[in-house]
Amino acid sequence: MRIDAYNQVAALYQTNKPVNVAKPTKTAGPKDQVQISQAGKDYQIAKQAVANASDIREDKVAELKSKINSGNYNVNSDDFASKLLEKMQAYA
């Protein structure tokens, strides 16, 4: 078979012609709908509020800074020791 005869064979079988693909028909049936419950809406609002909130409580930080700077910040040694022991036991 000769290679240059391919065009003639292709013309016979009409391989260059696009295949007709069936197009989906539009139906007048019901459309899909999504309804979000009030609880879901409230959840999204709360989730957005938490995402927008800062992880640092600026009012507490400012209060502690002012106590440290003025020399009025005192740490209870018993509380400090118990927290230190808790951390040490957590690593053991």
Side-chain angles (χ1 to χ4, degrees):
M1 175 179 187
R2 293 185 353 227
I3 295 174
D4 60 336
Y6 174 75
N7 288 337
Q8 293 172 352
V9 173
L12 287 173
Y13 290 104
Q14 299 177 353
T15 57
N16 295 339
K17 195 176 190 182
V19 178
N20 289 335
V21 177
K23 295 180 182 177
T25 58
K26 293 184 180 180
T27 59
K31 295 182 179 181
D32 292 337
Q33 293 182 353
V34 175
Q35 293 181 352
I36 300 174
S37 68
Q38 187 60 41
K41 291 176 184 177
D42 293 342
Y43 175 76
Q44 287 296 328
I45 291 170
K47 185 178 175 183
Q48 187 66 33
V50 169
N52 290 339
S54 175
D55 291 340
I56 300 171
R57 294 177 55 188
E58 298 294 335
D59 56 334
K60 294 287 185 181
V61 171
E63 179 184 342
L64 289 173
K65 280 185 178 180
S66 66
K67 284 183 179 181
I68 291 170
N69 290 337
S70 67
N72 294 330
Y73 184 70
N74 295 319
V75 177
N76 186 341
S77 59
D78 291 334
D79 290 340
F80 177 76
S82 64
K83 290 291 182 179
L84 184 62
L85 285 175
E86 282 179 26
K87 293 289 183 181
M88 294 299 290
Q89 290 173 351
Y91 291 120

